[in-house]
Amino acid sequence: MTSLFGLERPVNFGWYILGSFIVFLASVLGQIPFTVAIAVKTMASGKGLPKTMKEMLQVMDLNLSLFLLLLTFAVAFFGFYIVIRFMHKQTLRSIATSRMQLDWKRVFTAFSIWAIVTVFITIVSYKATDTTMVWNFQPERFLILALIAVVFIPLQTSLEEFLFRGYLMQGFAQLHPHRWFPLFWTSLIFGLLHITNPEVEALGYVVLFYYVGTGLFLGIITLMDEGMELALGFHAANNLMAALLITSDSSIFQTYAIFKDTEKPQLSLELFLPLLVLYPLLIYIFSKLYRWTDWKQRLTGSILIPDPIKTPKL
């Protein structure tokens, strides 16, 4: 283990701050069509501008709203590529994995496992209730949803993984010589960035523990596997299934999903089931599949970075 995901030289952490800011500016640029569309729609209806994310998502047709929302991430991904390629002189592969090339088999394995688990849980939940989860399938609208989701959601989830489990993981590795440091900070920031999600508004800030915990889970499997292929597959499956299978008035993806949960949002132990049961189980499964060893070193041990070379100061 000579470096963290192909990190070839130490880089001033200021460059990572600048790179993240450029990605943020790209996301703001990508958000313009969404913002303009909302403004035009609300002015035409004579209503006031929406004040919350939940209200914004319900202004337009749900498929159009989802498309414009995800377009933000597509533009941000382009900005991220510019940062990696031209500012850091790295490749996406060097951000993603320590292997010679991205292991797509790992990506699809993680995707398949979590997609199957999600479908199973959704069906069980539907069968277990006669009132709160209703059949919401509308063939034409669902087909359009599926096309949008399959194309754009992997871009959205891949951007988040490249940014947090790759780019910023390498960035925080410049500040502290042990692996727990980038693991902690990338997980915390990842969780806090979900603070504007409708479910946080509905249930309170305690929901952020779920997002921080999810970031920690994704960071653990990335560090243990010396690459983020498993995280890429899991995240894509999680968000894609969320968009296609079940929607609610308090979810970030307001879609024409197959089911709609009409129950009033409330905190329950079920909300934290992934953190308490499913994520540990997945870590165990992956550890057996890929024969993970040396847990202490991979999660908390030293990060070995090559000897410094002359690098520009920010």
Side-chain angles (χ1 to χ4, degrees):
M1 214 181 315
T2 58
S3 65
L4 187 66
F5 312 149
L7 190 60
E8 298 175 351
R9 59 184 174 85
V11 180
N12 189 303
F13 185 69
W15 289 102
Y16 289 92
I17 296 176
L18 177 60
S20 299
F21 183 67
I22 292 173
V23 175
F24 169 74
L25 289 181
S27 71
V28 172
L29 180 65
Q31 204 172 29
I32 291 176
F34 182 60
T35 305
V36 171
I38 289 175
V40 170
K41 185 70 174 180
T42 52
M43 285 190 293
S45 65
K47 299 179 180 179
L49 290 173
K51 298 179 180 180
T52 65
M53 178 60 73
K54 176 182 175 180
E55 293 175 352
M56 290 180 186
L57 295 171
Q58 296 176 341
V59 167
M60 300 173 289
D61 174 81
L62 296 184
N63 280 333
L64 177 59
S65 181
L66 180 68
F67 169 73
L68 293 176
L69 178 67
L70 294 175
L71 183 63
T72 300
F73 293 92
V75 176
F77 196 102
F78 178 74
F80 176 75
Y81 177 77
I82 296 299
V83 167
I84 295 303
R85 180 67 179 84
F86 297 102
M87 195 171 85
H88 287 273
K89 308 297 183 182
Q90 288 184 262
T91 63
L92 290 177
R93 195 278 311 164
S94 71
I95 295 294
T97 184
S98 61
R99 286 170 271 276
M100 295 302 295
Q101 60 184 10
L102 198 69
D103 188 342
W104 287 101
K105 186 175 180 180
R106 275 175 156 84
V107 176
F108 290 123
T109 296
F111 181 95
S112 300
I113 291 174
W114 192 241
I116 291 170
V117 169
T118 305
V119 170
F120 176 77
I121 292 175
T122 302
I123 292 175
V124 170
S125 298
Y126 177 66
K127 294 294 185 180
T129 176
D130 297 324
T131 56
T132 59
M133 189 180 293
V134 298
W135 185 256
N136 189 55
F137 184 63
Q138 304 170 62
E140 292 184 4
R141 287 175 167 175
F142 180 81
L143 178 60
I144 296 173
L145 164 64
L147 290 173
I148 295 171
V150 168
V151 172
F152 285 96
I153 285 182
L155 278 176
Q156 175 246 325
T157 57
S158 294
L159 170 65
E160 293 185 6
E161 290 309 309
F162 272 102
L163 185 61
F164 288 98
R165 257 60 67 179
Y167 183 66
L168 288 178
M169 191 78 83
Q170 289 187 355
F172 280 107
Q174 313 290 328
L175 300 180
H176 195 279
H178 292 92
R179 287 174 165 235
W180 67 264
F181 187 80
L183 173 61
F184 171 79
W185 282 108
T186 55
S187 301
L188 181 63
I189 297 172
F190 174 79
L192 293 179
L193 284 180
H194 291 80
I195 198 169
T196 59
N197 281 22
E199 54 267 33
V200 177
E201 178 188 345
L203 297 173
Y205 294 123
V206 68
V207 180
L208 292 175
F209 282 104
Y210 166 78
Y211 289 111
V212 173
T214 299
L216 187 62
F217 160 71
L218 293 169
I220 288 172
I221 62 176
T222 296
L223 289 177
M224 288 304 305
D225 204 46
E226 289 294 322
M228 62 188 215
E229 289 96 337
L230 297 177
L232 282 169
F234 171 90
H235 203 160
N238 185 75
N239 287 24
L240 192 59
M241 293 301 103
L244 297 179
L245 289 181
I246 184 168
T247 187
S248 72
D249 290 337
S250 61
S251 62
I252 184 62
F253 287 150
Q254 303 281 317
T255 68
Y256 297 112
I258 296 174
F259 303 103
K260 182 169 184 178
D261 188 356
T262 61
E263 185 177 16
K264 184 178 179 180
Q266 56 184 350
L267 282 175
S268 66
L269 189 61
E270 183 181 352
L271 178 66
F272 298 97
L273 176 66
L275 296 182
L276 300 174
V277 179
L278 298 180
Y279 292 171
L281 180 59
L282 277 179
I283 290 174
Y284 175 77
I285 292 172
F286 290 147
S287 71
K288 294 301 181 183
L289 280 176
Y290 302 112
R291 299 178 181 179
W292 293 344
T293 58
D294 202 8
W295 290 70
K296 184 177 180 180
Q297 167 59 32
R298 290 174 184 257
L299 296 180
T300 66
S302 298
I303 299 170
L304 303 178
I305 299 177
D307 293 334
I309 61 175
K310 190 174 182 180
T311 56
K313 294 183 178 180
L314 188 62

